[in-house]
Amino acid sequence: MDTLSAELVDAIIHKISFDRPTLIACSLVCKQWLWTSRHHLFSAIDVSAANVGILKTLIQSSACTLRPAIQMLSFHVSENDSWVRIFCTNFAPFLSITSLAVFLYGADMSQPTLSILPTAFPHVKHFDVFSTTPSRTLFRKQVATVCTFNSLQTIVLHGDHFGSSPIDVSLRIPSHVQSLKLDLSPSALIIFVRWLLLHSPMPSIATLHVFNVNDECFRTVSQFMRACSKTLTDLSLGLQRPYLARFTVELGPTIPLLRRFCYCTNTMDAVLNMANMISAMCPAPLEQLTLRVPIECMRQKGWVELQASLNAVKASEIIMVVDDHPNYEVALRKKLSHSNLSGTLFVISHTSSGIAFGYSEETFALFKRFIRRDHGRSVSKHI
């Protein structure tokens, strides 16, 4: 083993980080391999009421050395959240954890539990909140909690918060936040974005991913994009209504630093008007354009309009994300093979990992797994 440098060993183990049995075997080879293997095995841990006892036992053991390896912790709450509060009180602070996620399955999280999170996890830079609880007050409490993480850089909010209550205007988003990823109901999205627009100075948002944009909230989203136009470098938009063909005309602030743009829509008119929107927003060529075009849209109109739209876009990489259909990907590659594109064309299935518009991978992979399976059996596999 001495013939391999530590950097090479780390790189090799990183390549098989998805293979849990192999990682376990690697951790037993020698001390040199132990830390890297342990990092991948325990850097992200999911905890529920069913398996929190296992984690407590491990942490309390005098022989336990895995605690510094934990960098991301996810709480999965389906009923009473008292176990979260007890766990945080007994073992805080968690200084190594930089990413925290809270999944709420039809459950509310009490104010005492929300209040203890910033103290228990003082170095969190990435905070995700996923909720299936359509509570009027829960969203307001979640935003208030987000504002108490002083080191926060990335915020991900998902939930069907219909009829959400207004956010306290005295609250301010942490000053270091540069990335917002919002998958909210239109009413909650409007409330959140309008609250952001009250900030002075405006937060320096470099990454903005907004989903479920419809006729109810597109003007508010447009206003926020204009407010952040001098700092945005990565933008993703999910247009979810057929009406939004005119969205491309009305939502076009100039964003001089924009380098990555992801455009997801269920209306072909919006796809065909994409070139006009991008030319209005981006004076400089994009590094990457990702376009999600459902097969239903392609059946409505021909390929000629899509080719013309893509030919007008200046981007180093153009990624077409397609549905899982046996003939769609092949047909798209064939039709676009002779297009006069400015950059390299990639055609990828929407279920592939690692694509730029990987929101389903990023936000729903854990969420859906825990909904489908028994919480205890699923989570315990990660500890």
Side-chain angles (χ1 to χ4, degrees):
M1 300 305 172
D2 293 337
T3 59
L4 297 179
S5 66
E7 292 79 7
L8 185 57
V9 169
D10 291 346
I12 293 172
I13 295 178
H14 178 72
K15 286 293 184 181
I16 52 96
S17 59
F18 61 90
D19 188 342
R20 189 173 178 82
T22 302
L23 283 175
I24 294 174
C26 288
S27 69
L28 300 175
V29 172
C30 62
K31 289 184 178 180
Q32 182 185 358
W33 291 27
L34 176 60
W35 173 252
T36 305
S37 302
R38 177 183 290 171
H39 166 76
H40 291 293
L41 284 168
F42 298 108
S43 61
I45 291 183
D46 302 302
V47 189
S48 72
N51 78 332
V52 68
I54 302 173
L55 185 58
K56 284 181 179 179
T57 302
L58 285 173
I59 293 177
Q60 288 174 334
S61 171
S62 58
C64 177
T65 58
L66 67 84
R67 181 164 172 160
I70 305 174
Q71 297 182 4
M72 176 179 178
L73 195 66
S74 298
F75 290 119
H76 296 261
V77 183
S78 57
E79 293 178 359
N80 191 303
D81 68 346
S82 59
W83 62 270
V84 178
R85 187 166 61 254
I86 295 171
F87 177 79
C88 293
T89 302
N90 291 342
F91 299 104
F94 294 87
L95 301 179
S96 64
I97 293 177
T98 59
S99 183
L100 180 66
V102 176
F103 294 79
L104 302 175
Y105 305 91
D108 196 347
M109 186 164 268
S110 65
Q111 189 58 50
T113 301
L114 290 173
S115 299
I116 202 174
L117 294 180
T119 305
F121 306 97
H123 297 160
V124 163
K125 297 180 180 180
H126 189 119
F127 188 37
D128 303 4
V129 182
F130 307 106
S131 176
T132 61
T133 310
S135 168
R136 288 180 176 271
T137 60
L138 180 59
F139 182 62
R140 180 176 60 186
K141 292 193 297 183
Q142 291 172 353
V143 173
T145 302
V146 165
C147 294
T148 59
F149 286 91
N150 296 327
S151 301
L152 208 57
Q153 297 178 4
T154 299
I155 300 173
V156 179
L157 298 176
H158 165 84
D160 299 325
H161 303 283
F162 297 105
S164 300
S165 301
I167 300 169
D168 185 350
V169 295
S170 66
L171 295 173
R172 287 294 178 264
I173 198 169
S175 59
H176 298 292
V177 170
Q178 297 181 342
S179 178
L180 290 174
K181 302 179 182 181
L182 309 173
D183 187 11
L184 302 167
S185 66
S187 60
L189 180 61
I190 290 172
I191 289 172
F192 186 76
V193 173
R194 285 179 177 173
W195 168 71
L196 289 173
L197 288 169
L198 294 175
H199 285 57
S200 181
M202 284 292 298
S204 300
I205 302 301
T207 299
L208 178 64
H209 296 180
V210 187
F211 307 89
N212 295 324
V213 179
N214 64 11
D215 52 351
E216 183 181 349
C217 58
F218 84 93
R219 292 185 186 278
T220 305
V221 173
S222 174
Q223 188 178 359
F224 184 65
M225 286 177 57
R226 287 186 173 89
C228 300
S229 61
K230 294 182 179 180
T231 56
L232 274 179
T233 60
D234 184 346
L235 176 64
S236 292
L237 294 175
L239 313 185
Q240 301 300 329
R241 290 289 181 87
Y243 140 89
L244 286 171
R246 79 168 189 264
F247 187 94
T248 56
V249 178
E250 299 186 35
L251 183 66
T254 300
I255 307 177
L257 300 179
L258 191 64
R259 294 297 176 263
R260 296 165 63 92
F261 181 42
C262 183
Y263 195 60
C264 180
T265 179
N266 63 354
T267 163
M268 195 59 195
D269 287 337
V271 172
L272 300 181
N273 288 329
M274 168 195 62
N276 294 332
M277 181 180 184
I278 293 178
S279 62
M281 290 195 308
C282 314
L286 293 168
E287 292 178 1
Q288 186 180 87
L289 169 67
T290 303
L291 180 63
R292 175 79 164 88
V293 185
I295 192 170
E296 289 76 10
C297 294
M298 297 309 303
R299 288 170 176 165
Q300 296 172 12
K301 296 191 177 183
W303 302 91
V304 177
E305 294 88 345
L306 178 63
Q307 276 188 317
S309 185
L310 289 175
N311 289 340
V313 172
K314 301 301 181 182
S316 300
E317 290 183 359
I318 299 176
I319 302 177
M320 301 290 291
V321 186
V322 301
D323 289 331
D324 285 329
H325 187 277
N327 300 320
Y328 186 31
E329 181 177 345
V330 174
L332 187 59
R333 287 182 181 276
K334 182 178 180 180
K335 292 289 185 180
L336 297 179
S337 60
H338 302 295
S339 298
N340 186 27
L341 302 179
S342 61
T344 306
L345 175 67
F346 299 91
V347 182
I348 305 175
S349 167
H350 80 279
T351 57
S352 300
S353 61
I355 62 174
F357 197 71
Y359 186 73
S360 60
E361 176 73 17
E362 179 179 3
T363 62
F364 291 125
L366 285 174
F367 205 41
K368 289 184 176 180
R369 187 179 74 240
F370 278 79
I371 291 175
R372 289 196 303 265
R373 301 181 184 178
D374 172 77
H375 294 195
R377 289 199 304 271
S378 178
V379 182
S380 61
K381 292 181 180 180
H382 292 262
I383 296 182

